[in-house]
Amino acid sequence: MRLLTRLAPPLLALAFAACSGIDVNTNYDPSATQKLEGYRTYAWLPQPTGTDKRVYNPIVGARVEQTVDRYLLARGYQKVDASANPDFLIGWHGAIHNALKAETVDAYYGYPWGGPFTDPFYAGGAVTMPETYLREYEEGSLILDIVDPTSKQLVWRGTAQAELSENASAEQQQQRLDESVEKLLKDFPPKPR
């Protein structure tokens, strides 16, 4: 029983980590909302380059563009060649960085050691205190930029961040990318205030 009480907090912390969500932020030029509503055609900016080959490689680039294309096409946008005078240009950037998270787990989750009718703060003569663990993990970021093709000015930016799973299969990675793109573009174009 003593071993279980020592293993339970870290195992619970890992379980909560597996359920972590995708954080999304968007920002846009308020003076461009009328223009954004009229956009119907788009073209991709050239693929970005970077030093992190986990992010900047042909496989990841193709996956990001295909996922965004699928989502935009389903919403009625049409992909055209950059020479066809598109309404907007779209580009992407990505990053992977290390992050730390402090997680506090109460040792008395579940049934208290003294039985189901005892005070959960008093477990058979010993006070159980919450324990805090520091956990290091990798976090991935996906940035989508909408650029006006005439002025070359950024008019909308969306950023999605999520914890990366070290052992995720290609299918799980694609599912996470699908979720990120859907959350990012769900409120695009932004409504005028």
Side-chain angles (χ1 to χ4, degrees):
M1 186 65 142
R2 190 85 170 129
L3 178 62
L4 180 61
T5 61
R6 288 187 178 189
L7 288 177
L11 291 175
L12 283 172
L14 286 174
F16 289 131
C19 301
S20 63
I22 300 169
D23 294 325
V24 171
N25 291 307
T26 60
N27 200 353
Y28 61 93
D29 177 359
S31 67
T33 53
Q34 292 291 345
K35 194 184 293 187
L36 288 167
E37 284 186 356
Y39 286 168
R40 289 290 148 236
T41 61
Y42 72 95
W44 280 96
L45 290 164
Q47 286 247 345
T49 57
T51 58
D52 191 342
K53 296 301 178 196
R54 298 173 299 171
V55 177
Y56 296 107
N57 67 64
I59 295 171
V60 171
R63 274 189 170 179
V64 169
E65 289 186 13
Q66 289 168 2
T67 303
V68 172
D69 285 345
R70 202 169 43 249
Y71 189 82
L72 288 176
L73 292 172
R75 303 246 333 256
Y77 293 93
Q78 181 183 358
K79 181 180 173 182
V80 298
D81 192 71
S83 62
N85 198 24
D87 295 329
F88 67 95
L89 300 172
I90 187 167
W92 71 273
H93 305 279
I96 297 174
H97 60 275
N98 291 333
L100 281 176
K101 186 173 193 174
E103 295 173 334
T104 301
V105 180
D106 291 326
Y108 54 80
Y109 278 148
Y111 292 106
W113 294 280
F117 303 109
T118 60
D119 182 357
F121 292 101
Y122 182 79
V127 176
T128 58
M129 301 299 291
E131 293 187 44
T132 301
Y133 299 89
L134 278 181
R135 186 172 60 85
E136 185 175 2
Y137 62 96
E138 286 188 327
E139 184 173 71
S141 299
L142 173 65
I143 301 169
L144 293 180
D145 288 337
I146 304 294
V147 175
D148 181 83
T150 306
S151 67
K152 304 294 189 227
Q153 295 294 311
L154 180 67
V155 291
W156 182 92
R157 172 172 276 181
T159 305
Q161 294 182 311
E163 182 176 337
L164 299 178
S165 174
E166 190 175 315
N167 300 319
S169 67
E171 292 81 18
Q172 290 169 324
Q173 292 173 16
Q174 184 61 52
Q175 181 180 1
R176 196 70 156 170
L177 181 58
D178 289 341
E179 291 171 17
S180 298
V181 168
E182 183 178 348
K183 283 185 87 168
L184 272 174
L185 294 174
K186 162 178 85 138
D187 294 324
F188 178 82
K191 306 294 180 239
R193 293 182 192 195

